[in-house]
Amino acid sequence: MAFPHRPDAPELPDFSMLKRLARDQLIYLLEQLPGKKDLFIEADLMSPLDRIANVSILKVRSLSLRSCPSFLFEQLCFLVRPRIKNMRYIASLVNADKVAGRTRKYKVIFSPQKFYACEMVLEEEGIYGDVSCDEWAFSLLPLDVDLLSMELPEFFRDYFLEGDQRWINTVAQALHLLSTLYGPFPNCYGIGRCAKMAYELWRKLEEEEDGETKGRRPEIGHIFLLDRDVDFVTALCSQVVYEGLVDDTFRIKCGSVDFGPEVTSSDKSLKVLLNAEDKVFHEIRNEHFSNVFGFLSQKARNLQAQYDRRRGMDIKQMKNFVSQELKGLKQEHRLLSLHIGACESIMKKKTKQDFQELIKTEHALLEGFSIRESTSYIEEHIDRFGSPRFFLPVLRLLCLLSITENGLIPKDYRSLKTQYLQSYGPEHLLTFSNLRRAGLLTEQGPGDTLTAVESKVSKLVTDKAAGKITDAFSSLAKRSNFRAISKKLNLIPRVDGEYDLKVPRDMAYVFSGAYVPLSCRIIEQVLERRSWQGLDEVVRLLNCGDFAFTDMTKEDKASSESLRLILVVFLGGCTFSEISALRFLGREKGYRFIFLTTAVTNSARLMEAMSEVKA
Amino acid sequence: MDCYTANWNPLGDSAFYRKYELYSMDWDLKEELRDCLVAAAPYGGPVALLRNPWRKEKAASVRPVLDIYSASGMPLASLLWKSGPVVSLGWSAEEELLCVQEDGAVLVYGLHGDFRRHFSMGNEVLQNRVLDARIFHTEFGSGVAILTGAHRFTLSANVGDLKLRRMPEVPGLQSAPSCWTVLCQDRVAHILLAVGPDLYLLDHAACSAVTPPGLAPGVSSFLQMAVSFTYRHLALFTDTGYIWMGTASLKEKLCEFNCNIRAAPKQMVWCSRPRSKERAVVVAWERRLMVVGDAPESIQFVLDEDSYLVPELDGVRIFSRSTHEFLHEVPAASEEIFKIASMGPGTGVFSKESQKADEYLREIQELGQLTQAVQQCIEAAGHEHQPDMQKSLLRAASFGKCFLDRFPPDSFVRMCQDLRVLNAVRDYHIGIPLTYSQYPCQLTIQVLLDRLVLRRLYPLAIQICEYLRLPEVQGVSRILAHWACYKVQQKDVSDEDVARAINQKLGDTPGVSYSDIAARAYGCGRTELAIKLLEYEPRSGEQVPLLLKMKRSKLALSKAIESGDTDLVFTVLLHLKNELNRGDFFMTLRNQPMALSLYRQFCKHQELETLKDLYNQDDNHQELGSFHIRASYAAEERIEGRVAALQTAADAFYKAKNEFAAKATEDQMRLLRLQRRLEDELGGQFLDLSLHDTVTTLILGGHNKRAEQLARDFRIPDKRLWWLKLTALADLEDWEELEKFSKSKKSPIGYLPFVEICIKQHNKYEAKKYASRVGPEQKVKALLLVGDVAQAADVAIEHRNEAELSLVLSHCTGATDGATADKIQRARAQAQKK
């Protein structure tokens, strides 16, 4: 299956250079401290590090930061994210050494950059003179041929909740690195406050280091920056594309996933790298889940046939087969059985939790139908699944309800919150305060109680008319305006009969044909127009009036090939569904998309970032 | 051509020396040079004269005067000398004037007589006074060597990075050496001194006696010594009128000469050029100048006036009250062309104007030497001082070039460019008489530009940059920046005018740093001007450090925020924190949301108390409430403390008019207390459970009464209670209690959940009990769950519901359901008929 790319689709740039750069820099930094040393690696950096270098290359004894430190050598090197709590931890180690009268060399390597606040803490703790600091500018990890991740999940909370802008500079630096390596980007678009800031900072960097990128032929023709808060809805939906579903179910971490015993059908779990190199996965990653099983069984039959060819072979052919094909077949066999196992496991889990019911509710929310029923469905969920491990999925539904409806009506807002606190504990009072600040879960003000009326209307008048009324109503309110945007951008496809998920017509297939991801639709529209022209209304509805920009260079040095390569930058994370949708769009239009995200996210991660949980 | 070589003087067989006038001096000196302390900088640098230096306290009314002139005698500065008596003057490589005073203090002045700084040569020098001093140049910069009254030497190899070195004592030295000089070998400065017939070499460890090889006998004293410009050669003049010339390492003798003059010369300097084989020494007495080298005869000139010699890289400058001349060895290229009866190929090209030109040319071409000829002409042009002669030679080269197929044009073009620059700076008004060997062969264009800037010749410098098409960053913008730095020092012009003038000239030329200029303005005490200039700085990050320095912290904060660099913002914040009192600091933060959130983030991890104060200051009761909630489970452990924290939180929420949060917090307080009581009375773990879990735990523990009480107290809705009980009882597999419960009253959640939960616990028997009680809408689903397909089919048919029918049909697997399936199909067909 797996739709092939159009023959004229451009080649992707080779991003493995980024890995080499990062690895060489790290080795260089470590060699600055000659001799044997203990290397402490922060847990968050372990997986990214694993992707670019195996620890044996580093020729050091490495320990994870949180494990109880057992010292061997006279030199200690810390590889950490620039976080204050890490500084305090290091300070406690160093001070303990001081008390014990041990002298040792300490070096702290910050990745991707050092922050002044961290040095401040070291100074306050009185160890600034004892440690030397360095920066490991490892900000771009190629997770796949078309996916670069900054592996900064905290970006989302720091910026969108706390208003902390320190990572924006890191993004600008990363963009600068890309443009120095792969040529300038002739066409730039963006939407969102953060996107604009990052873009401007990056331009400043380019101006300061003038000349380096000048005159280079651009490899990537367009860059599109997008803030996560422009489209929370898409990120909150349950994912039904295979890769997204695997992420939702097993959590893909840094491009690999731990399949437990229930998947591997053995007694141990297995870490599997999920990327384009996995032939089986590559063909199903972007598929709607309903197709995956059929595809896998077809594949299994083919594989069997391949094996069966052995029967008619003479010795020479057999020798050939064993030496050349057998290894590949066995590999494929292994992968196939893994993915089949994963599928089974997903199916088991999803039926248990009334997955169909859930999806139905989500679709109802997206389309704006039967809001009352959905609300009671959510309420029932809260009542039924009182145990703390369910707090995330329910919270997600609450947010989805709030955003699609421009906030909850006050009565619901209160009762749902009360119910929620009763089920999941009082500390979520803070979670609600966070969600309110981020605009994810709000209460309708006195001015916009209209949705109550609206939902009644929508029950009476079906489809088209309701849409129009909704539109008129929500344009009055200054909130998420999802309904109006959805109408303007035609996010809910009109379905005549069954939506054929095997042969998708549009990007809506990633949500079973019920909804075109807003973020992807915006990108599609802007690329089509090569500007924001004609989208003024949408931009206004997104409350991004001042933050949508286009910047195109006049000189046309870009080849037509590069003009079909598009770098999409998600500030605050993107989901696998969005990636799949844009990959689909690329195949349809002959583009290739490259994704740069601060981290790969999904609804659970978003909600976690906003939650206050007892430590 | 005859007249051209008229001033050529042969020295031996191989070399010619010529002397030509650079300028007639403009300086109108009243004194004789011999009455002044004189210092002239190399590379056509300025001349400093200190008049009346030796009149001491006796005539205090007549103060010495320090004058600085360009090499053409244009006055650059003049000032009354008000400090102590000066022993020696000298120019540093950066064209700063070093004045060594008798007390060992060295005063540093700029080209325009502006005082820069001073430093001392140490206490020992202060006590013993300075007898003599030399300023010398090495690759590290300019050094000062001092001979003290105690006949000891003190030396600093680089005045920019002052490290004094006291040289070891010379054993048995009673009087001052007859002459001495600084040698620089292997990057170390040594001192060579002559005492009577002996020579001593001082390095920083030891003093060693040395003897020049091949020195003629009968020397009883050395009167003068000279080191070449590059420290490679040394010349010694003895009291017998004998001159020894050799390498500075004193390992090799080059030649010797006896001039038969026993009087001590006034000056002796080397006159050679890089890569020249010939080496000569120029010796000057009162009225006589002699060029001696490896030849039996010397060249002699008569000096009409008191003159002063300045050694250069490729010759000697000689200036007096009226003229400024240059004496040098005729370069090889010129010699080849112009020497009488020269056979060099260049000659042929140059004589093209004569009738035989054509003939000559052909001859050269046949010899295959035309390329060389053209090159010679180009090179010779470079060494000419007169533009007319340069032109003739270049024209000759250009003519010869026409007959060559592939002569690379760049050497010609480059020479034209270099000569234009050279002629421009040699101009009388500029007065920098550089030769081609000095620029561009030795000095770079950057150095030349720096020197022009130092003389405030900005327009010429810019013209040169533009003419040579230098990149803006290296050329024009650098000069403009210097100009601006000079401009801000003009105190008589108003801030507005200066700022405007600077901005008009500089615009947004790349590479110009407005913040540097502003820093200069601030250095001159013009803070307002500095702020105005900073406004033009496009990179806000660059503005911040200076603003902080100028104590404009608030402005610095907004600039830092503009820059988007959070580290910069943080730096300013800490600055502000120390500078302002807490209240003002918080007020400043309040107006800067970006800085506020940054600081909050920091406080959250590092200074929790400050965070609370911040919220208090802002009357941000909502956040304050949240703060205390967090404290209630993160910071406090005892139950009383936790309740107290919650109480504070609730109060804050009331103030924030957030009734909901306040009520929820109060509920939590009640719950906490209750959980505590439950733990006391029933044992087990209750604290920190949610309300839902608390009730569940009670039911699981069999405390139904208390559970119901709790539900009433906290007004748990019926639906939740039913779900809760249902789940708990099923978990307990207490089917009896469940049945009782189901019959206690009509279920608010219907009976399908009962069926579902029984099936989940694999109890089909119990499930069936409830299936019958499920409402009609969900009946089919319930029946299917308990596996009663047949009855489900009946109900569905009865309901005439298409969806239900398909649902049942999809469950009709297995052989037993065949009949049912048929039944449904029939019912469907019937329905369709109707």
Side-chain angles (χ1 to χ4, degrees), chain A residues 115-116 164-167 169, chain B residues 560 563-571 594 598:
Chain A
F115 285 126
Y116 183 63
D164 183 342
Q165 305 179 355
R166 61 196 173 137
W167 294 116
N169 201 22
Chain B
S563 80
D565 181 345
T566 47
D567 273 5
L568 207 56
V569 178
F570 212 86
T571 321
M594 186 265 194
L598 195 71

Side-chain angles (χ1 to χ4, degrees), chain A residues 88 116 120 124 158 162-163 165-166 201 208 383-384 386 417-419 422-423 426 430 437 614, chain B residues 539 563 566-567 570 574 594 597-598 601 604-606 623 626 660 668 688 690-692 717 720 723:
Chain A
R88 295 242 291 268
Y116 183 63
M120 260 278 306
E124 277 183 10
D158 280 352
E162 314 277 6
Q165 305 179 355
R166 61 196 173 137
L201 269 181
E208 269 167 44
D383 288 350
R384 260 174 90 181
K417 278 205 304 186
T418 313
Q419 299 289 312
Q422 287 186 355
S423 282
L430 302 183
R437 188 150 19 122
K614 284 183 212 174
Chain B
R539 294 161 296 170
S563 80
T566 47
D567 273 5
F570 212 86
L574 289 183
M594 186 265 194
S597 31
L598 195 71
Q601 279 283 79
K604 243 176 219 173
H605 292 107
Q606 190 70 2
E623 286 300 329
S626 301
F660 174 81
Q668 175 59 14
D688 281 332
S690 69
L691 182 61
H692 184 100
R720 174 192 288 276
W723 276 113

Side-chain angles (χ1 to χ4, degrees), chain A residues 84-85 88 113-117 120-121 124-125 157-158 162-167 169 201 204 208 357 376 380 382-388 413-414 417-427 429-430 432-434 437 612-615, chain B residues 538-540 561-567 570-571 574 577 593-594 597-598 600-602 604-607 622-623 625-627 629-630 633 642 653 660-661 664-665 668 688-693 714-717 719-720 723-724 727 756 781:
Chain A
I84 288 175
K85 64 174 202 284
R88 295 242 291 268
Q113 70 178 103
K114 182 168 69 183
F115 285 126
Y116 183 63
M120 260 278 306
V121 174
E124 277 183 10
E125 302 280 334
R157 185 177 165 122
D158 280 352
E162 314 277 6
D164 183 342
Q165 305 179 355
R166 61 196 173 137
W167 294 116
N169 201 22
L201 269 181
K204 249 189 242 171
E208 269 167 44
E357 207 52 25
S376 12
E380 188 189 308
I382 299 175
D383 288 350
R384 260 174 90 181
F385 303 107
S387 126
Y413 186 61
R414 250 167 247 173
K417 278 205 304 186
T418 313
Q419 299 289 312
Y420 195 88
L421 292 178
Q422 287 186 355
S423 282
Y424 307 112
E427 64 272 19
L429 201 54
L430 302 183
F432 285 127
S433 152
N434 289 345
R437 188 150 19 122
E612 297 283 336
V613 193
K614 284 183 212 174
Chain B
R539 294 161 296 170
S540 10
I561 290 169
E562 230 171 77
S563 80
D565 181 345
T566 47
D567 273 5
F570 212 86
T571 321
L574 289 183
K577 195 178 157 194
M594 186 265 194
S597 31
L598 195 71
R600 263 194 206 145
Q601 279 283 79
F602 176 73
K604 243 176 219 173
H605 292 107
Q606 190 70 2
E607 293 177 15
Q622 174 65 32
E623 286 300 329
S626 301
F627 178 84
I629 295 259
R630 200 171 288 116
Y633 62 82
R642 297 182 58 177
F653 284 136
F660 174 81
T665 311
Q668 175 59 14
D688 281 332
L689 292 181
S690 69
L691 182 61
H692 184 100
D693 288 349
F714 285 88
R715 269 175 279 141
I716 293 181
K719 276 189 184 175
R720 174 192 288 276
W723 276 113
L724 206 151
T727 321
E756 282 171 338
K781 220 171 163 191

Side-chain angles (χ1 to χ4, degrees), chain A residues 425-534:
Chain A
E427 64 272 19
H428 288 292
L429 201 54
L430 302 183
T431 307
F432 285 127
S433 152
N434 289 345
L435 289 171
R436 189 194 170 93
R437 188 150 19 122
L440 274 162
L441 181 57
T442 54
E443 181 180 6
Q444 284 172 3
D448 40 41
T449 40
L450 295 159
T451 12
V453 185
E454 185 192 309
S455 54
K456 269 180 208 149
V457 172
S458 67
K459 265 181 216 161
L460 296 173
V461 195
T462 41
D463 94 12
K464 226 159 87 182
K468 262 189 192 143
I469 293 164
T470 313
D471 193 352
F473 281 153
S474 35
S475 58
L476 292 170
K478 261 196 177 172
R479 285 278 171 80
S480 55
N481 303 324
F482 177 74
R483 199 111 299 142
I485 295 164
S486 159
K487 183 77 195 158
K488 270 257 170 308
L489 290 175
N490 200 15
L491 297 184
I492 312 293
R494 192 177 305 272
V495 183
D496 312 320
E498 196 83 343
Y499 189 99
D500 188 356
L501 292 167
K502 283 209 171 72
V503 193
R505 288 176 308 187
D506 51 24
M507 292 188 284
Y509 92 95
V510 301
F511 292 115
S512 310
Y515 162 67
V516 179
L518 170 57
S519 51
C520 306
R521 178 70 101 195
I522 293 175
I523 293 166
E524 176 196 28
Q525 291 294 314
V526 172
L527 285 178
E528 219 161 72
R529 290 154 217 254
R530 291 278 178 100
S531 81
W532 290 95
Q533 218 168 22

